[in-house]
Amino acid sequence: MPHEYKILLKKDVNYIIVGQGLAGTILAFTMINAGLKVVVIDEQNLSMCSKVAAGNFNPIVFKRLVKSWMTDELIPFSERFYKEAEQFLFEEFYWKKEIVRIFGENQEKDFWIKKSLADDVGKYLSKNIVDDFFINTVNNPLGCAFVNDASNLYVVKFLEKFRNYFIRNQLLLDEIFDYSELKVESNSVNHKNIKANKIIFCEGYKVSENPYFNWIPLKPVKGEVLTVKIENLKTDKIINKDVYILPIGNDLFIVGATYDWENLNDTVTEKARNQLAERLSKVIKVPFEIVGQQAGVRPSAIDRRPIIGLHPEYKTLGIFNGMGTKGVMLAPYFAKQLVDHLEKNVPLDKEVDIARFVHLF
Ligand SMILES: Cc1cc2nc3c(=O)[nH]c(=O)nc-3n(C[C@H](O)[C@H](O)[C@H](O)COP(=O)(O)OP(=O)(O)OC[C@H]3O[C@@H](n4cnc5c(N)ncnc54)[C@H](O)[C@@H]3O)c2cc1C
């Protein structure tokens, strides 16, 4: 019997959280910080999404060179959140990391220069065009420029360190949550021997198996990444052109990502491997070796906004989901918003409130 089971023979908490991906972990830490008692129930292998995330935090949408949704609010909030998490665990997993945008066409470069002078988005775009960025390694005939205020979370480490913390403090049950064992009352819930005021589901795309919330309109999208070895590219910046190339040390880089709305599973494919390798070979001039490949399914909502709040009928059941392609940026801010909603009745932003989909229930 795993040791986590012994400790939870009987437990009375404020919240049960189902899922310890980015959403569940960030929500649990937010609740702990607010003085609330939680138990997290998670079986790690049901969804690989968070475990394969590159962890990039990009304030810009490259196609249109506009700010990504709520960037100005999300950046300072997340930065504070991850710094606090680092201090809490005495670990390091969050860094500022510049993104280098390699231009594919002159038009794109001209558009960048124009946008870098604009009032709103300009502060995120460097004004200088650089022509000699890794001239012997990177294909860069038209030059490149930099995104300011981008950052990166080493997601695997973040999740693992929190998992260890939860285990040490007897807050984690390592098992598949059994929906048929959930007893829903008007003021509490019971799951086996755990009693809580409420339960919040954070199962990512696996919410499709949750009988209480399987009606929320997710449009999940599978993504794959490669780990490659590239010698002679000694940069600490993320390179972006059709793919991103994220340095992770020891000449290793994560190259991503693909988008597939059909095959919703965590299995890696040759098609994605070839696609990413081909794109990479157009960006760099030197050979590379593929040393790993991973896949996960992003829990995107049809309107690309988080889906959070309480069940329309059972007010002891809640959801924190729909983080889509941007869990690193979105989850800290909206975890706080959900906790304020649950504990202080503060209204949720309409754009993320599950109430917008209540007609589907
Ligand atoms: C290839 C790829 C690259 C990405 N890159 C980035 C990036 O650079 N930046 C960024 O911000 N985002 C990125 N994302 C998106 C990011 O990964 C997601 O937004 C985020 O991970 C979603 O987290 P989640 O906790 O909602 O879901 P998940 O990560 O799916 O977590 C759900 C957890 O719940 C568990 N679970 C589910 N059902 C049950 C059950 N019944 N019982 C017990 N446990 C259960 C699962 O096993 C899992 O541990 C990327 C995603 C992919 C696939």
Side-chain angles (χ1 to χ4, degrees):
M1 192 188 276
H3 68 284
E4 295 98 288
Y5 286 82
K6 282 190 259 159
I7 50 153
L8 289 168
L9 289 176
K10 210 156 192 238
K11 198 125 187 163
D12 203 335
V13 294
N14 299 105
Y15 293 94
I16 298 171
I17 294 173
V18 181
Q20 197 238 321
L22 274 169
T25 306
I26 289 168
L27 182 62
F29 181 50
T30 304
M31 287 182 164
I32 290 167
N33 259 347
L36 298 163
K37 282 198 233 162
V38 302
V39 160
V40 180
I41 302 178
D42 178 78
E43 207 301 313
Q44 294 189 78
N45 299 318
L46 293 180
S47 165
M48 294 308 287
C49 184
S50 298
K51 279 142 261 178
V52 310
N56 296 334
F57 189 134
N58 180 1
I60 294 298
V61 181
F62 280 128
K63 256 191 204 153
R64 290 172 288 132
L65 283 188
V66 290
K67 286 191 285 190
S68 97
W69 183 60
M70 287 188 64
T71 282
D72 293 339
E73 291 86 353
L74 297 177
I75 286 184
F77 194 94
S78 312
E79 201 161 303
R80 268 199 312 276
F81 176 88
Y82 291 117
K83 291 276 162 220
E84 228 173 285
E86 285 183 328
Q87 282 163 14
F88 183 77
L89 296 172
F90 302 103
E91 295 287 348
E92 243 189 307
F93 34 68
Y94 177 78
W95 300 270
K96 283 278 172 209
K97 238 183 211 309
E98 253 178 338
I99 301 176
V100 186
R101 177 66 172 180
I102 310 273
F103 297 122
E105 292 170 14
N106 273 320
Q107 252 178 340
E108 188 192 349
K109 181 160 70 176
D110 296 343
F111 191 45
W112 181 291
I113 294 168
K114 187 175 149 203
K115 284 286 207 163
S116 71
L117 303 171
D119 276 349
D120 54 346
V121 74
K123 65 179 173 188
Y124 296 111
L125 307 175
S126 75
K127 312 254 176 308
N128 297 343
I129 304 298
V130 174
D131 292 317
D132 57 355
F133 180 78
F134 284 94
I135 219 156
N136 297 320
T137 328
V138 177
N139 270 317
N140 186 26
L142 302 176
C144 61
F146 301 91
V147 178
N148 305 320
D149 238 352
S151 53
N152 181 263
L153 176 72
Y154 183 0
V155 183
V156 171
K157 184 172 179 189
F158 172 80
L159 295 177
E160 187 189 303
K161 296 298 172 190
F162 264 109
R163 193 171 190 88
N164 293 343
Y165 170 83
F166 296 145
I167 290 172
R168 276 200 313 277
N169 290 279
Q170 312 195 338
L171 308 178
L172 186 110
L173 202 52
D174 187 349
E175 66 176 35
I176 297 181
F177 181 82
D178 184 352
Y179 301 98
S180 67
E181 293 268 1
L182 181 65
K183 294 190 183 61
V184 184
E185 316 279 349
S186 57
N187 286 316
S188 65
V189 290
N190 283 274
H191 185 255
K192 300 183 181 170
N193 41 23
I194 309 169
K195 182 172 186 232
N197 300 347
K198 288 185 175 60
I199 184 166
I200 311 294
F201 292 102
C202 310
E203 308 111 312
Y205 85 110
K206 288 285 175 180
V207 69
S208 59
E209 290 166 28
N210 180 329
Y212 297 98
F213 284 104
N214 54 10
W215 51 273
I216 64 161
L218 285 192
K219 196 178 170 199
V221 49
K222 179 177 177 176
E224 295 191 47
V225 288
L226 300 179
T227 307
V228 301
K229 187 161 189 147
I230 312 172
E231 284 169 7
N232 306 320
L233 184 56
K234 310 278 180 215
T235 181
D236 60 353
K237 302 185 194 319
I238 303 167
I239 299 172
N240 186 296
K241 185 189 176 224
D242 295 336
V243 282
Y244 56 76
I245 309 170
L246 165 74
I248 56 171
N250 298 326
D251 292 336
L252 294 175
F253 297 81
I254 303 286
V255 177
T258 57
Y259 291 82
D260 174 357
W261 286 266
E262 311 271 297
N263 305 293
L264 300 179
N265 56 54
D266 293 342
T267 311
V268 297
T269 62
E270 204 178 323
K271 185 176 166 200
R273 185 185 175 96
N274 293 339
Q275 194 182 87
L276 291 169
E278 194 190 320
R279 288 186 194 164
L280 175 62
S281 64
K282 288 187 180 147
V283 185
I284 58 169
K285 297 177 183 171
V286 289
F288 58 88
E289 182 194 351
I290 300 174
V291 296
Q293 185 176 0
Q294 288 177 299
V297 180
R298 309 167 180 96
S300 298
I302 47 163
D303 61 359
R304 293 153 143 225
R305 297 287 176 259
I307 301 179
I308 72 178
L310 292 176
H311 192 277
E313 193 173 325
Y314 306 107
K315 295 300 173 194
T316 48
L317 311 183
I319 190 162
F320 188 60
N321 206 318
M323 299 300 146
T325 56
K326 297 205 166 118
V328 174
M329 279 177 89
L330 296 171
Y333 184 92
F334 288 106
K336 172 78 166 68
Q337 190 167 116
L338 180 59
V339 173
D340 286 347
H341 179 63
L342 297 170
E343 291 293 311
K344 300 179 196 158
N345 246 331
V346 178
L348 295 167
D349 284 358
K350 286 197 167 50
E351 273 186 281
V352 301
D353 193 337
I354 189 174
R356 73 196 190 276
F357 295 125
V358 85
H359 59 281
L360 300 173
F361 171 58

mmCIF file of all heavy atoms in Angstrom, residues 6-45:
data_model
loop_
_atom_site.group_PDB
_atom_site.id
_atom_site.type_symbol
_atom_site.label_atom_id
_atom_site.label_comp_id
_atom_site.label_asym_id
_atom_site.label_seq_id
_atom_site.Cartn_x
_atom_site.Cartn_y
_atom_site.Cartn_z
ATOM 1 N N LYS A 6 -2.058 5.619 4.050
ATOM 2 C CA LYS A 6 -2.150 5.433 5.503
ATOM 3 C C LYS A 6 -2.628 6.708 6.178
ATOM 4 O O LYS A 6 -3.429 6.683 7.079
ATOM 5 C CB LYS A 6 -0.763 5.069 6.043
ATOM 6 C CG LYS A 6 -0.404 3.624 5.792
ATOM 7 C CD LYS A 6 0.847 3.266 6.549
ATOM 8 C CE LYS A 6 2.005 3.291 5.580
ATOM 9 N NZ LYS A 6 3.279 3.445 6.205
ATOM 10 N N ILE A 7 -2.114 7.843 5.658
ATOM 11 C CA ILE A 7 -2.340 9.100 6.329
ATOM 12 C C ILE A 7 -3.750 9.618 6.171
ATOM 13 O O ILE A 7 -4.183 10.476 6.895
ATOM 14 C CB ILE A 7 -1.395 10.152 5.747
ATOM 15 C CG1 ILE A 7 -1.543 10.093 4.243
ATOM 16 C CG2 ILE A 7 0.000 9.908 6.205
ATOM 17 C CD1 ILE A 7 -1.265 11.304 3.548
ATOM 18 N N LEU A 8 -4.430 9.141 5.162
ATOM 19 C CA LEU A 8 -5.720 9.733 4.874
ATOM 20 C C LEU A 8 -6.871 8.827 5.298
ATOM 21 O O LEU A 8 -7.877 8.751 4.626
ATOM 22 C CB LEU A 8 -5.807 10.037 3.374
ATOM 23 C CG LEU A 8 -4.926 11.197 2.930
ATOM 24 C CD1 LEU A 8 -4.830 11.270 1.427
ATOM 25 C CD2 LEU A 8 -5.460 12.501 3.455
ATOM 26 N N LEU A 9 -6.667 8.139 6.393
ATOM 27 C CA LEU A 9 -7.725 7.241 6.832
ATOM 28 C C LEU A 9 -9.012 8.023 7.060
ATOM 29 O O LEU A 9 -10.083 7.604 6.712
ATOM 30 C CB LEU A 9 -7.294 6.507 8.103
ATOM 31 C CG LEU A 9 -6.204 5.464 7.839
ATOM 32 C CD1 LEU A 9 -5.729 4.819 9.114
ATOM 33 C CD2 LEU A 9 -6.686 4.398 6.860
ATOM 34 N N LYS A 10 -8.844 9.199 7.648
ATOM 35 C CA LYS A 10 -9.999 10.066 7.839
ATOM 36 C C LYS A 10 -9.522 11.502 7.740
ATOM 37 O O LYS A 10 -8.492 11.846 8.299
ATOM 38 C CB LYS A 10 -10.582 9.826 9.233
ATOM 39 C CG LYS A 10 -12.045 10.060 9.303
ATOM 40 C CD LYS A 10 -12.663 9.297 10.439
ATOM 41 C CE LYS A 10 -14.150 9.363 10.247
ATOM 42 N NZ LYS A 10 -14.844 9.935 11.327
ATOM 43 N N LYS A 11 -10.250 12.318 7.027
ATOM 44 C CA LYS A 11 -9.755 13.677 6.866
ATOM 45 C C LYS A 11 -10.933 14.618 6.636
ATOM 46 O O LYS A 11 -11.853 14.300 5.899
ATOM 47 C CB LYS A 11 -8.795 13.701 5.665
ATOM 48 C CG LYS A 11 -7.906 14.864 5.609
ATOM 49 C CD LYS A 11 -6.438 14.453 5.523
ATOM 50 C CE LYS A 11 -5.552 15.679 5.639
ATOM 51 N NZ LYS A 11 -4.192 15.382 5.964
ATOM 52 N N ASP A 12 -10.870 15.776 7.290
ATOM 53 C CA ASP A 12 -11.903 16.788 7.166
ATOM 54 C C ASP A 12 -11.226 18.058 6.648
ATOM 55 O O ASP A 12 -10.369 18.605 7.335
ATOM 56 C CB ASP A 12 -12.504 17.028 8.562
ATOM 57 C CG ASP A 12 -13.894 17.596 8.463
ATOM 58 O OD1 ASP A 12 -14.196 18.215 7.433
ATOM 59 O OD2 ASP A 12 -14.662 17.416 9.421
ATOM 60 N N VAL A 13 -11.564 18.482 5.431
ATOM 61 C CA VAL A 13 -10.853 19.620 4.832
ATOM 62 C C VAL A 13 -11.844 20.626 4.244
ATOM 63 O O VAL A 13 -13.044 20.349 4.152
ATOM 64 C CB VAL A 13 -9.893 19.141 3.708
ATOM 65 C CG1 VAL A 13 -8.763 18.302 4.256
ATOM 66 C CG2 VAL A 13 -10.648 18.404 2.605
ATOM 67 N N ASN A 14 -11.314 21.760 3.831
ATOM 68 C CA ASN A 14 -12.170 22.731 3.150
ATOM 69 C C ASN A 14 -12.462 22.298 1.714
ATOM 70 O O ASN A 14 -13.607 22.365 1.262
ATOM 71 C CB ASN A 14 -11.505 24.115 3.125
ATOM 72 C CG ASN A 14 -11.251 24.670 4.516
ATOM 73 O OD1 ASN A 14 -10.129 24.686 4.993
ATOM 74 N ND2 ASN A 14 -12.317 25.069 5.190
ATOM 75 N N TYR A 15 -11.394 21.866 1.012
ATOM 76 C CA TYR A 15 -11.576 21.524 -0.404
ATOM 77 C C TYR A 15 -10.852 20.234 -0.785
ATOM 78 O O TYR A 15 -9.708 20.029 -0.368
ATOM 79 C CB TYR A 15 -11.022 22.637 -1.310
ATOM 80 C CG TYR A 15 -11.808 23.916 -1.204
ATOM 81 C CD1 TYR A 15 -11.411 24.928 -0.326
ATOM 82 C CD2 TYR A 15 -12.950 24.112 -1.967
ATOM 83 C CE1 TYR A 15 -12.137 26.103 -0.214
ATOM 84 C CE2 TYR A 15 -13.682 25.293 -1.862
ATOM 85 C CZ TYR A 15 -13.275 26.276 -0.982
ATOM 86 O OH TYR A 15 -14.000 27.441 -0.876
ATOM 87 N N ILE A 16 -11.521 19.401 -1.567
ATOM 88 C CA ILE A 16 -10.836 18.331 -2.280
ATOM 89 C C ILE A 16 -10.547 18.886 -3.677
ATOM 90 O O ILE A 16 -11.422 19.505 -4.299
ATOM 91 C CB ILE A 16 -11.720 17.072 -2.425
ATOM 92 C CG1 ILE A 16 -12.081 16.504 -1.043
ATOM 93 C CG2 ILE A 16 -11.014 16.009 -3.272
ATOM 94 C CD1 ILE A 16 -13.134 15.379 -1.101
ATOM 95 N N ILE A 17 -9.326 18.672 -4.156
ATOM 96 C CA ILE A 17 -8.965 19.074 -5.520
ATOM 97 C C ILE A 17 -8.659 17.808 -6.302
ATOM 98 O O ILE A 17 -7.844 16.990 -5.856
ATOM 99 C CB ILE A 17 -7.735 20.008 -5.503
ATOM 100 C CG1 ILE A 17 -8.096 21.327 -4.816
ATOM 101 C CG2 ILE A 17 -7.206 20.262 -6.912
ATOM 102 C CD1 ILE A 17 -6.929 22.269 -4.598
ATOM 103 N N VAL A 18 -9.311 17.627 -7.427
ATOM 104 C CA VAL A 18 -9.047 16.436 -8.246
ATOM 105 C C VAL A 18 -8.157 16.843 -9.422
ATOM 106 O O VAL A 18 -8.552 17.672 -10.254
ATOM 107 C CB VAL A 18 -10.351 15.798 -8.771
ATOM 108 C CG1 VAL A 18 -10.031 14.549 -9.605
ATOM 109 C CG2 VAL A 18 -11.256 15.426 -7.610
ATOM 110 N N GLY A 19 -6.939 16.284 -9.483
ATOM 111 C CA GLY A 19 -5.989 16.609 -10.549
ATOM 112 C C GLY A 19 -4.837 17.428 -10.000
ATOM 113 O O GLY A 19 -5.052 18.411 -9.285
ATOM 114 N N GLN A 20 -3.615 16.983 -10.316
ATOM 115 C CA GLN A 20 -2.433 17.763 -9.911
ATOM 116 C C GLN A 20 -1.596 18.103 -11.143
ATOM 117 O O GLN A 20 -0.392 17.927 -11.185
ATOM 118 C CB GLN A 20 -1.601 17.005 -8.868
ATOM 119 C CG GLN A 20 -0.616 17.881 -8.108
ATOM 120 C CD GLN A 20 0.840 17.437 -8.221
ATOM 121 O OE1 GLN A 20 1.130 16.244 -8.207
ATOM 122 N NE2 GLN A 20 1.750 18.402 -8.355
ATOM 123 N N GLY A 21 -2.262 18.591 -12.192
ATOM 124 C CA GLY A 21 -1.553 19.219 -13.304
ATOM 125 C C GLY A 21 -1.275 20.663 -12.887
ATOM 126 O O GLY A 21 -1.315 21.002 -11.693
ATOM 127 N N LEU A 22 -1.044 21.520 -13.870
ATOM 128 C CA LEU A 22 -0.806 22.927 -13.542
ATOM 129 C C LEU A 22 -1.991 23.531 -12.803
ATOM 130 O O LEU A 22 -1.830 24.218 -11.790
ATOM 131 C CB LEU A 22 -0.554 23.717 -14.832
ATOM 132 C CG LEU A 22 0.883 23.738 -15.348
ATOM 133 C CD1 LEU A 22 0.924 24.318 -16.750
ATOM 134 C CD2 LEU A 22 1.781 24.551 -14.417
ATOM 135 N N ALA A 23 -3.202 23.242 -13.297
ATOM 136 C CA ALA A 23 -4.396 23.857 -12.702
ATOM 137 C C ALA A 23 -4.563 23.432 -11.237
ATOM 138 O O ALA A 23 -4.691 24.292 -10.347
ATOM 139 C CB ALA A 23 -5.635 23.486 -13.524
ATOM 140 N N GLY A 24 -4.553 22.136 -10.976
ATOM 141 C CA GLY A 24 -4.771 21.649 -9.611
ATOM 142 C C GLY A 24 -3.673 22.078 -8.659
ATOM 143 O O GLY A 24 -3.933 22.450 -7.507
ATOM 144 N N THR A 25 -2.432 22.061 -9.132
ATOM 145 C CA THR A 25 -1.300 22.433 -8.274
ATOM 146 C C THR A 25 -1.385 23.913 -7.895
ATOM 147 O O THR A 25 -1.214 24.287 -6.728
ATOM 148 C CB THR A 25 0.036 22.165 -9.022
ATOM 149 O OG1 THR A 25 0.034 20.809 -9.456
ATOM 150 C CG2 THR A 25 1.227 22.427 -8.131
ATOM 151 N N ILE A 26 -1.655 24.739 -8.903
ATOM 152 C CA ILE A 26 -1.705 26.189 -8.670
ATOM 153 C C ILE A 26 -2.899 26.545 -7.788
ATOM 154 O O ILE A 26 -2.802 27.378 -6.874
ATOM 155 C CB ILE A 26 -1.711 26.929 -10.035
ATOM 156 C CG1 ILE A 26 -0.317 26.777 -10.673
ATOM 157 C CG2 ILE A 26 -2.125 28.378 -9.896
ATOM 158 C CD1 ILE A 26 -0.202 27.185 -12.118
ATOM 159 N N LEU A 27 -4.007 25.859 -8.001
ATOM 160 C CA LEU A 27 -5.177 26.115 -7.149
ATOM 161 C C LEU A 27 -4.890 25.673 -5.708
ATOM 162 O O LEU A 27 -5.219 26.394 -4.750
ATOM 163 C CB LEU A 27 -6.404 25.376 -7.703
ATOM 164 C CG LEU A 27 -7.690 25.595 -6.929
ATOM 165 C CD1 LEU A 27 -8.109 27.077 -6.956
ATOM 166 C CD2 LEU A 27 -8.834 24.741 -7.479
ATOM 167 N N ALA A 28 -4.253 24.519 -5.551
ATOM 168 C CA ALA A 28 -3.963 24.023 -4.197
ATOM 169 C C ALA A 28 -3.053 24.999 -3.451
ATOM 170 O O ALA A 28 -3.313 25.340 -2.287
ATOM 171 C CB ALA A 28 -3.302 22.646 -4.279
ATOM 172 N N PHE A 29 -2.013 25.488 -4.127
ATOM 173 C CA PHE A 29 -1.091 26.415 -3.463
ATOM 174 C C PHE A 29 -1.804 27.730 -3.115
ATOM 175 O O PHE A 29 -1.590 28.309 -2.046
ATOM 176 C CB PHE A 29 0.137 26.664 -4.355
ATOM 177 C CG PHE A 29 1.142 27.590 -3.737
ATOM 178 C CD1 PHE A 29 1.604 27.399 -2.435
ATOM 179 C CD2 PHE A 29 1.637 28.680 -4.442
ATOM 180 C CE1 PHE A 29 2.529 28.268 -1.856
ATOM 181 C CE2 PHE A 29 2.563 29.554 -3.876
ATOM 182 C CZ PHE A 29 3.005 29.350 -2.585
ATOM 183 N N THR A 30 -2.669 28.174 -4.013
ATOM 184 C CA THR A 30 -3.424 29.413 -3.744
ATOM 185 C C THR A 30 -4.313 29.233 -2.510
ATOM 186 O O THR A 30 -4.435 30.131 -1.670
ATOM 187 C CB THR A 30 -4.271 29.781 -4.989
ATOM 188 O OG1 THR A 30 -3.398 29.884 -6.100
ATOM 189 C CG2 THR A 30 -5.014 31.083 -4.807
ATOM 190 N N MET A 31 -4.925 28.064 -2.412
ATOM 191 C CA MET A 31 -5.801 27.807 -1.268
ATOM 192 C C MET A 31 -4.990 27.698 0.029
ATOM 193 O O MET A 31 -5.378 28.247 1.066
ATOM 194 C CB MET A 31 -6.597 26.524 -1.500
ATOM 195 C CG MET A 31 -7.694 26.721 -2.538
ATOM 196 S SD MET A 31 -8.665 25.232 -2.770
ATOM 197 C CE MET A 31 -10.105 25.913 -3.623
ATOM 198 N N ILE A 32 -3.867 27.003 -0.040
ATOM 199 C CA ILE A 32 -3.021 26.861 1.153
ATOM 200 C C ILE A 32 -2.576 28.249 1.624
ATOM 201 O O ILE A 32 -2.608 28.561 2.812
ATOM 202 C CB ILE A 32 -1.806 25.947 0.834
ATOM 203 C CG1 ILE A 32 -2.284 24.502 0.645
ATOM 204 C CG2 ILE A 32 -0.755 26.024 1.931
ATOM 205 C CD1 ILE A 32 -1.271 23.554 0.043
ATOM 206 N N ASN A 33 -2.195 29.088 0.669
ATOM 207 C CA ASN A 33 -1.786 30.463 0.995
ATOM 208 C C ASN A 33 -2.902 31.265 1.639
ATOM 209 O O ASN A 33 -2.663 32.206 2.385
ATOM 210 C CB ASN A 33 -1.367 31.192 -0.289
ATOM 211 C CG ASN A 33 0.126 31.252 -0.424
ATOM 212 O OD1 ASN A 33 0.839 30.968 0.525
ATOM 213 N ND2 ASN A 33 0.598 31.613 -1.599
ATOM 214 N N ALA A 34 -4.141 30.895 1.310
ATOM 215 C CA ALA A 34 -5.300 31.608 1.886
ATOM 216 C C ALA A 34 -5.719 30.964 3.211
ATOM 217 O O ALA A 34 -6.778 31.295 3.759
ATOM 218 C CB ALA A 34 -6.455 31.590 0.890
ATOM 219 N N GLY A 35 -4.919 30.027 3.703
ATOM 220 C CA GLY A 35 -5.200 29.420 5.009
ATOM 221 C C GLY A 35 -6.230 28.302 4.955
ATOM 222 O O GLY A 35 -6.798 27.931 5.991
ATOM 223 N N LEU A 36 -6.462 27.762 3.776
ATOM 224 C CA LEU A 36 -7.487 26.713 3.641
ATOM 225 C C LEU A 36 -6.845 25.331 3.668
ATOM 226 O O LEU A 36 -5.688 25.158 3.270
ATOM 227 C CB LEU A 36 -8.237 26.906 2.317
ATOM 228 C CG LEU A 36 -8.975 28.240 2.224
ATOM 229 C CD1 LEU A 36 -9.345 28.565 0.779
ATOM 230 C CD2 LEU A 36 -10.234 28.208 3.096
ATOM 231 N N LYS A 37 -7.628 24.352 4.116
ATOM 232 C CA LYS A 37 -7.127 22.970 4.160
ATOM 233 C C LYS A 37 -7.573 22.237 2.887
ATOM 234 O O LYS A 37 -8.763 22.275 2.532
ATOM 235 C CB LYS A 37 -7.704 22.243 5.366
ATOM 236 C CG LYS A 37 -7.009 22.620 6.661
ATOM 237 C CD LYS A 37 -7.313 21.567 7.704
ATOM 238 C CE LYS A 37 -7.852 22.236 8.944
ATOM 239 N NZ LYS A 37 -8.544 21.362 9.833
ATOM 240 N N VAL A 38 -6.620 21.584 2.241
ATOM 241 C CA VAL A 38 -6.952 20.872 1.000
ATOM 242 C C VAL A 38 -6.411 19.446 1.010
ATOM 243 O O VAL A 38 -5.453 19.141 1.712
ATOM 244 C CB VAL A 38 -6.371 21.588 -0.250
ATOM 245 C CG1 VAL A 38 -6.869 23.008 -0.379
ATOM 246 C CG2 VAL A 38 -4.847 21.574 -0.246
ATOM 247 N N VAL A 39 -7.059 18.607 0.208
ATOM 248 C CA VAL A 39 -6.499 17.303 -0.154
ATOM 249 C C VAL A 39 -6.545 17.223 -1.678
ATOM 250 O O VAL A 39 -7.546 17.606 -2.286
ATOM 251 C CB VAL A 39 -7.318 16.145 0.453
ATOM 252 C CG1 VAL A 39 -7.049 14.846 -0.293
ATOM 253 C CG2 VAL A 39 -6.967 15.955 1.910
ATOM 254 N N VAL A 40 -5.437 16.776 -2.273
ATOM 255 C CA VAL A 40 -5.370 16.646 -3.734
ATOM 256 C C VAL A 40 -5.427 15.161 -4.084
ATOM 257 O O VAL A 40 -4.713 14.354 -3.475
ATOM 258 C CB VAL A 40 -4.054 17.254 -4.265
ATOM 259 C CG1 VAL A 40 -3.976 17.135 -5.784
ATOM 260 C CG2 VAL A 40 -3.911 18.710 -3.834
ATOM 261 N N ILE A 41 -6.280 14.823 -5.041
ATOM 262 C CA ILE A 41 -6.345 13.427 -5.510
ATOM 263 C C ILE A 41 -5.885 13.418 -6.967
ATOM 264 O O ILE A 41 -6.450 14.129 -7.805
ATOM 265 C CB ILE A 41 -7.786 12.874 -5.414
ATOM 266 C CG1 ILE A 41 -8.280 12.975 -3.966
ATOM 267 C CG2 ILE A 41 -7.838 11.427 -5.913
ATOM 268 C CD1 ILE A 41 -9.704 12.510 -3.750
ATOM 269 N N ASP A 42 -4.841 12.661 -7.253
ATOM 270 C CA ASP A 42 -4.294 12.693 -8.618
ATOM 271 C C ASP A 42 -3.636 11.374 -8.987
ATOM 272 O O ASP A 42 -2.867 10.817 -8.212
ATOM 273 C CB ASP A 42 -3.231 13.798 -8.734
ATOM 274 C CG ASP A 42 -2.593 13.851 -10.113
ATOM 275 O OD1 ASP A 42 -3.240 14.390 -11.038
ATOM 276 O OD2 ASP A 42 -1.478 13.353 -10.271
ATOM 277 N N GLU A 43 -3.976 10.889 -10.161
ATOM 278 C CA GLU A 43 -3.254 9.768 -10.757
ATOM 279 C C GLU A 43 -2.518 10.365 -11.950
ATOM 280 O O GLU A 43 -3.137 10.763 -12.937
ATOM 281 C CB GLU A 43 -4.256 8.697 -11.200
ATOM 282 C CG GLU A 43 -3.694 7.294 -11.227
ATOM 283 C CD GLU A 43 -2.491 7.114 -12.145
ATOM 284 O OE1 GLU A 43 -2.512 7.565 -13.298
ATOM 285 O OE2 GLU A 43 -1.514 6.513 -11.676
ATOM 286 N N GLN A 44 -1.206 10.443 -11.832
ATOM 287 C CA GLN A 44 -0.394 11.244 -12.767
ATOM 288 C C GLN A 44 -0.500 10.839 -14.225
ATOM 289 O O GLN A 44 -0.314 11.661 -15.108
ATOM 290 C CB GLN A 44 1.083 11.111 -12.398
ATOM 291 C CG GLN A 44 1.441 11.697 -11.081
ATOM 292 C CD GLN A 44 2.946 11.713 -10.913
ATOM 293 O OE1 GLN A 44 3.628 12.568 -11.466
ATOM 294 N NE2 GLN A 44 3.463 10.767 -10.156
ATOM 295 N N ASN A 45 -0.757 9.562 -14.480
ATOM 296 C CA ASN A 45 -0.633 9.084 -15.861
ATOM 297 C C ASN A 45 -1.900 9.226 -16.696
ATOM 298 O O ASN A 45 -1.920 8.839 -17.858
ATOM 299 C CB ASN A 45 -0.178 7.623 -15.861
ATOM 300 C CG ASN A 45 1.173 7.510 -15.198
ATOM 301 O OD1 ASN A 45 2.036 8.350 -15.450
ATOM 302 N ND2 ASN A 45 1.337 6.544 -14.318
#
